[in-house]
């Protein structure tokens, strides 16, 4: 399958490592073939015309020029190909990305929180329940502000910078941010989505090759943007279990060792505003009492 | 009333020689004639010169950035030591660029190139200078508004430049100024509510928007009201159509951004939270705000302008190229009607495609299906326009004058840029490409070797009309060939970098990333920065012949007659340079804009103001192909 | 050099220049306020329950200002009609009336409505403290009836120094009537007449407070849009008034004597602008004052 | 209601023309009165409970649109304007609606799991 992606490879696209990635590559590949055909077709015509109709060869122009309707056919075929790509591939593909999430019990569910300039990963631990997060509880050692009194949070795993997931299991990521907009981009997995403060954006993928994959921050987020690196390590299931156990032992203390320290890194702090956009105000993590704003 | 004559003509003493021209009694003073003029030609030239200087300035910023990208962390030789004196001590200590300064340069490069460079030159300068001449009008409908528009642009430009020199430096949030980043930018200790880069960016923008709105109103009214007798809509040169649609884009797309800018200004100065949700934690401390705002709202309003804006950048170039292609292939434009129809469709559709810049903001399948469809639809008229241009050349007698060289180069360059827009239109493919160098390459192919080449073509083409002299042809070619080669060496490799996964706005040029260490075509992704940067600097050198040629030819260029290109449209019936009021004889149009190589005629061009003779009429009736 | 069609109409379009110009300008204004209103819609849809205040503005004053703007719209067309009938004196008086209307509108806004806001405070309670102040909020009954909960208590702040001074542990609020009798159903809908805060003082512990803000733009998305939109609208009114003053001054008489039609055209153009400003207010008024 | 015709320089004709404008004046006054009445109605209706807040907003916007329509049609002479101006306004209207509608749609249709 991957060998079909000739132009993409030729242009340097790294090999795909996720289940759906082939489809992304294919649409990109088709688009490139299509563009290539148009480009070389027109270029050939263009070069021919420039040479054939240069003044020294053709001193007198023909007022009427081309009389056939050939360009209409050409334009029609462009429309047709674009329509096929759009209706046949692009729209269904996106629908699959955003409407058909795998069932939670089969998947690894991770909350990912961006901040200037690193990523924090929050996993629910063995009980499958995320602990409550409260903005007031954010400290250096509790970067997400997990409520220590919430039983669901006791076994939660919080890691900074590096996430491990097992190969061949879907991963569902729910993205948010503490400060500005970031973008969680995994080029090898052919997946990316914005991390926007105040909202929770889900995305999913299924890694099919073990390895270490860089997470790029794909949205300008300040001076350390260029170094806002994360790592997703795709493990064989056994290694993943070992990692999980290791992390689970640390859980409760929630001391997150930081992976590759990002340049200009800030002390960690804070939780995303709202876990669930539809939440009731009672649960709304609140800003602490403030001195009034100017004029107040 | 006419206050333009009733106001006292200012300051003769600035120009002692005005007395010499005693016989011309209502001669305006030098200031009124060249600086505070209301004459569309002077305003057009003012716009053009300012715009070119800004263009060069924006390019210079990028040349500094390209050093950092190719040699990250190394001191910039020679000028590096001096730049801190100019831009402030925290920009390039020891000649080494800081990340903040890199971000400032990037944001200001984008802003300056688009809003202070290309829009003023492509729309305002060419629109002002050429459109009234092409439609046979004595001036714009509202000359004073026209001058106001230029001065609003001037104020906006000065504010934007000033922002480099305030504490903290110029805006750092990208030309898109995404919130919350821009909303909270610079708000550290010592925050001055007005004198900071981002706020000045916003204030400057309000002036630029005002300028564009006034200009747009003026252009549209002029084209509607002041067309010469007989110059019906379907006899308008294609350039006029392109400007007409462009003016509508500016008129209707800018105001929502203005609204957004006012809101961001409120956020920054009046502590509102239009774009800030509750519960943000910045630098480890909670932000004291009311919350309740939405970061996505800014993006909607920004791109509601942002997308039409890109057509503002390209349509005037289409227009210029169309004129030059017809003139130099000595043939009518092929499919004039479908061209006109296509620009109108582009204009309409460009208002409903904006969210294709927001594919990854958590967009559901319905909305994204809608925007994918409209985005692909809008590529069709572009294909039609380009096809018509190509086909126009068939059967021509092509002369490769300097303007024609630029115009021919424009076609494939725009083609590459436009074609690489197609994968971006599919959000599943853009998923991979979003914010990579692929995007940078996509749009630079359109705006740099595309629009900028179009502008150069226009400058070489209409220079004789503005000055009565041509620019030197040899130096024009010396300008052209290196520029063409360098542009491609700069931007082609960026597609590779993008496909490798290298992202834009990377201060270190990708040095710190494993993925940019992959080899492609012999170099690693990161190493490709070096040839790109060298090409950019050589490209800078290649502009020197142009600058010299430009200024030298104003005084010393070869003198030519009023219609040196043997063109057909009305501007060539006016004297060069045209006097105040433009035409000696008020022109009347009797025919279409591109009557080149009419059969049975001695000359291979027939100007629009030449009446149709009875013999010709009967011949046209017999041969429907001529009827067009 | 003379620019054609400044006064007479171009035959094929049937219009003179400034008429097209002003309509194009108004089209851009439609987009400007369109942008602001779309932001309003977006923010309002996004608001959490209880976060979008209701009934805080002074309805009679708003109604009066609406009426004033409408009347000014009438006087300005009458001024134009008077010019068309070549009655300069009538024109002068109508113009004066228009200017006065605009000035009153601005005066009311700047010296009455806006300042009033800055003296009023809203205290947002922490979710956990809502129970504690149930006597002021009446949320039990509201939840039963399916209404949005209240999360804010508002009124006059009697100890403003408490904001700065950490040693003071509570805020003393002279309550707005709604909070004195929260369970009275007549208080569920905004009062028509402005009711000043009562002398019933509620003490609210700082512990329980999420934030306290006066009713300035920083108070909430609602007040942010209120101040921005009415501010921008006010700027338009001000611009209109200034232009009208110019056209009412003696210079206009000179122009009238030279070419009455030219003056009439100018008044028509500025009148169109003025009507548009009125038209915007027609939407602003119900959206912010009534709903 | 029609836009008064263009004025003529001929005094006799002008007499008749002035008379014409005079007729329009009565129309303007009526419309002014109507607008005031509608303002009252808007305020009154806002104290009537139409069930949901959405319904109340809908009703108020309906009345406001009516008022705006009157201002535009009569005071701004849109009832009898030239085709060109209609065209500009139709496109403007379409674009504002697109702005409203599409931003709303994007808000309404996010990715949810
Ligand atoms: C003038 C500028 C311009 C123009 C005309 C275009 C034209 C197009 N653009 Fe581009 N675009 C930008 C400037 C421009 N763009 C900019 C500045 C950005 C980035 C903004 C930022 O984030 O900072 C951007 C980003 C951008 C994105 C967002 C990417 C992302 O951020 O993830 C998308 C997505 O759909 C897109 C699509 C398109 C499409 C489909 C077209 C179509 O209209 C193109 C249609 C044209 C064709 C289809 C070519 C037809 C030609 C032929 C058929 C002839 C070929 C012949 C030869 C080659 C000889 N563009
Ligand atoms: C019209 C728009 C425009 C134009 C023309 C250009 C032109 C160029 N751009 Fe730029 N660019 C942008 C708009 C533009 N750019 C935008 C919007 C961004 C995104 C910013 C962001 O991230 O927010 C960007 C970003 C951008 C980047 C990415 C930076 C990053 O992501 O970190 C790079 C990198 O190389 C780059 C390079 C260049 C180069 C080498 C040119 C060259 O092609 C320049 C060539 C210029 C000339 C040839 C003009 C010379 C002028 C004269 C000769 C006139 C002189 C005459 C007189 C004085 C009389 N640009
Ligand atoms: Cu985070 Cu860029
Ligand atoms: Cu776009």
């Amino acid at each position: 399958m991957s060998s079909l992606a000739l132009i993409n490879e030729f242009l340097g696209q790294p090999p795909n490592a996720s289940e759906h990635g082939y489809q992304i590559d294919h649409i990109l590949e088709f688009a490139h073939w299509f563009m290539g055909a148009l480009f070389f077709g027109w270029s050939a015509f263009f070069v021919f015309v420039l040479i054939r109709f240069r003044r020294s060869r053709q001193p007198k122009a023909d007022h009427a020029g081309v009389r056939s309707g050939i360009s209409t056919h050409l334009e029609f075929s462009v429309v047709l190909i674009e329509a096929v790509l759009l209706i046949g591939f692009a729209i269904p593909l996106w629908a699959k990305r955003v409407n058909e999430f795998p069932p939670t019990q089969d998947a690894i569910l991770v909350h990912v929180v961006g901040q200037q300039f690193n990523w924090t990963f929050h996993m629910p631990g063995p009980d499958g329940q995320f602990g409550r997060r409260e903005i007031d509880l954010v400290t250096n050692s509790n970067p997400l502000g997990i409520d220590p009194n919430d039983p669901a949070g006791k076994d939660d795993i919080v890691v900074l910078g590096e996430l491990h997931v097992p190969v061949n299991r879907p991963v569902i990521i729910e993205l948010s941010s503490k400060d500005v907009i970031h973008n969680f981009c995994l080029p090898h997995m052919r997946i990316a989505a914005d991390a926007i403060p105040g909202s929770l954006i889900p995305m999913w993928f299924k890694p099919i090759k073990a390895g270490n994959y860089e997470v790029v921050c794909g949205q300008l987020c300040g001076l350390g943007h260029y170094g806002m690196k994360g790592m997703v390590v795709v493990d064989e299931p056994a290694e993943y279990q070992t990692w999980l156990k290791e992390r689970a032992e640390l859980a409760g203390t929630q001391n997150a060792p930081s992976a590759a320290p990002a340049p200009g890194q800030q002390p960690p702090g804070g939780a995303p505003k709202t876990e669930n956009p539809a939440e009731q105000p009672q649960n709304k993590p609140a800003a602490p009492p403030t001195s009034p704003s100017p004029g107040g | 009333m006419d206050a333009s004559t009733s106001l006292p003509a200012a300051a003769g003493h600035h120009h002692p020689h005005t007395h010499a021209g005693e016989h011309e009694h209502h001669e305006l003073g030098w200031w009124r004639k060249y600086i505070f003029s209301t004459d569309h030609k002077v305003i057009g030239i003012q716009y053009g010169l300012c715009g070119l200087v800004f263009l060069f300035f924006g390019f210079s910023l990028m040349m500094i950035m390209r050093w950092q990208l190719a040699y990250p962390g190394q001191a910039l030789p020679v000028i590096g030591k001096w730049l801190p004196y100019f831009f402030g001590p925290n920009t390039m200590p020891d000649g080494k660029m800081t990340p903040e300064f890199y971000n400032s340069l990037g944001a200001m490069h984008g802003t300056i190139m688009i809003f202070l460079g290309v829009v003023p030159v492509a729309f305002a300068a060419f629109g002002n200078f050429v459109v009234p001449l092409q439609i046979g009008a004595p001036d714009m409908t509202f000359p004073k508004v026209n001058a106001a528009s230029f001065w609003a642009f001037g104020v906006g430009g000065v504010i934007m430049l000033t922002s480099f020199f305030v504490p903290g430096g110029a805006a750092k949030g990208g030309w898109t100024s995404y919130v919350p980043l821009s909303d909270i930018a610079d708000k550290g200790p010592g925050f001055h509510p007005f004198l900071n880069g981002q706020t000045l960016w916003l204030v400057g923008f309000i002036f630029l928007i005002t300028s564009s709105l006034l200009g747009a109103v003026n252009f549209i009214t002029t084209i509607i009201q002041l067309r010469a007798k007989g110059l019906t809509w379907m006899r308008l040169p294609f350039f006029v159509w392109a400007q007409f649609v462009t003016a509508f884009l500016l008129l209707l797309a800018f105001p929502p951004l203005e609204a957004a800018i006012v809101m961001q200004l409120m956020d920054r100065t009046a502590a509102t939270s239009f774009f800030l949700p509750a519960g943000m934690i910045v630098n480890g401390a909670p932000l004291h705000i009311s919350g309740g705002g939405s970061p996505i709202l800014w993006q909607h309003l920004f791109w509601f302008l942002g997308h039409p804006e890109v057509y503002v950048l390209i349509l005037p170039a289409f227009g210029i190229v169309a004129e030059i292609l017809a003139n130099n292939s000595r043939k009518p434009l092929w499919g004039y009607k479908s061209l006109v129809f296509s620009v109108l469709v582009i204009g309409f559709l460009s208002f409903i495609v904006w969210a294709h810049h927001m594919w990854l903001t958590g967009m559901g399948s319905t909305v994204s299906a809608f925007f994918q469809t409209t985005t692909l639809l809008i590529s069709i008229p572009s294909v039609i326009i380009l096809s018509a241009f190509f086909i126009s050349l068939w059967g021509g007698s092509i002369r490769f004058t300097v303007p024609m060289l630029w115009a021919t180069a424009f076609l494939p360059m725009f083609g590459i840029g436009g074609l690489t827009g197609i994968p971006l239109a599919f959000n599943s493919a853009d998923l991979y490409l979003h914010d990579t160098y692929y995007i940078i390459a996509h749009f630079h192919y359109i705006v740099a070797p595309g629009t900028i080449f179009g502008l150069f073509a226009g400058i070489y083409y209409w220079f004789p009309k503005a000055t009565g002299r041509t620019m030197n042809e040899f130096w024009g070619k010396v300008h052209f060939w290196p520029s063409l080669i360098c542009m491609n060496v700069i931007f082609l490799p960026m597609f590779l970098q993008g496909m490798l996964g290298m992202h834009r706005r990377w201060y270190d040029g990708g040095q710190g990333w494993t993925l940019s260490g992959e080899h492609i075509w012999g170099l690693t992704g990161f190493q490709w920065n070096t040839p790109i940067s060298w090409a950019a600097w050589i490209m800078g050198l290649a502009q020197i012949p142009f600058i010299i040629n430009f200024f030298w030819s104003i005084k010393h260029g070869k003198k030519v007659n009023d219609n040196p290109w043997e063109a057909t449209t009305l501007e060539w019936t006016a004297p060069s340079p045209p006097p105040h009021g433009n035409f000696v004889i008020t022109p009347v149009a009797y025919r279409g804009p591109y009557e080149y190589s009419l059969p049975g005629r001695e000359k291979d061009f027939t100007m629009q103001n030449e009446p149709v003779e009875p013999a010709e009429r009967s011949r046209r009736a017999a041969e429907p192909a001529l009827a067009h | 050099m003379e620019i054609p069609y400044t006064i007479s109409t171009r035959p094929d379009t049937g219009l003179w220049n400034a008429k097209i110009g002003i309509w194009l300008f108004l089209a851009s204004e439609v987009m400007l306020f369109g942008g602001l209103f779309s932001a309003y819609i977006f923010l309002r849809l996004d608001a959490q329950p209880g976060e979008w205040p209701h009934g805080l503005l002074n309805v009679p004053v708003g109604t009066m200002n609406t009426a004033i703007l409408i009347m000014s719209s009438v006087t300005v067309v009458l001024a134009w009609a008077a010019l068309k009938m070549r009655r300069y004196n009538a024109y002068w008086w109508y113009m004066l009336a228009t200017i006065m209307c605009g000035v009153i509108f601005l005066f009311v806004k700047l010296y009455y409505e806006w300042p009033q806001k800055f003296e009023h405070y809203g205290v947002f309670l922490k979710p956990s403290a809502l129970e504690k102040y149930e006597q002021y909020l009446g949320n039990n009954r509201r939840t039963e009836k399916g209404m949005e909960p209240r999360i804010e208590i508002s009124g006059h702040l009697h100890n403003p120094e408490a904001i700065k001074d950490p040693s003071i542990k509570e805020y003393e609020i002279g309550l707005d009537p709604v909070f004195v009798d929260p369970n009275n159903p007549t208080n569920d809908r905004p009062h028509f007449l402005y009711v000043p805060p009562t002398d019933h003082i509620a003490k609210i512990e700082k512990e329980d407070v999420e934030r306290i803000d006066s009713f300035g733009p920083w108070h909430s998305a609602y007040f942010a849009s209120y101040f921005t939109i009415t501010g921008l609208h006010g700027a338009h009114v001000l611009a209109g008034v200034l232009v009208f003053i110019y056209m009412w001054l003696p210079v206009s008489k000179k122009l009238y004597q030279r070419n009455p039609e030219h003056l009439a055209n100018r008044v028509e153009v500025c009148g169109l602008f003025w009507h548009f400003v009125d038209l915007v207010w027609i939407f602003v008024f119900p959206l912010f004052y009534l709903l | 209601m029609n836009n008064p015709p263009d004025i003529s320089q001929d005094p006799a004709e002008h007499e008749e023309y002035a008379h014409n404008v005079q007729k329009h004046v009565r129309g303007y006054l009526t419309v002014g009165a109507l607008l005031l009445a509608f303002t009252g109605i808007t305020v009154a209706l806002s104290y009537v409970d139409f069930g949901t807040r959405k319904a109340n907003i809908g009703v108020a916007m309906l009345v406001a649109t009516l008022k705006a329509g009157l201002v535009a049609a009569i005071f701004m002479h849109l009832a009898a304007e030239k085709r060109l101006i209609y065209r500009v306004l139709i496109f403007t209207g379409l674009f504002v609606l697109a702005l409203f509608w599409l931003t709303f749609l994007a808000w309404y249709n996010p990715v949810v799991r």
Side-chain angles (χ1 to χ4, degrees), chain C residues 116 119-121 154-158 173-180 194-201 215:
Chain C
Q116 210 176 56
E119 294 166 4
H120 227 84
Y121 278 81
S154 68
H156 235 291
L157 185 60
H158 279 230
I173 304 268
L175 289 180
D176 285 343
V178 190
F179 300 99
V180 180
Y194 172 65
V195 198
T198 59
D199 33 8
H200 185 114
I201 292 185
F215 283 6

Side-chain angles (χ1 to χ4, degrees), chain C residues 26 46 61 72 90 113 137 166 177 202 233 287:
Chain C
L26 291 185
D46 244 9
V61 171
S72 75
E113 288 199 271
L137 299 170
H233 178 266
L287 279 182

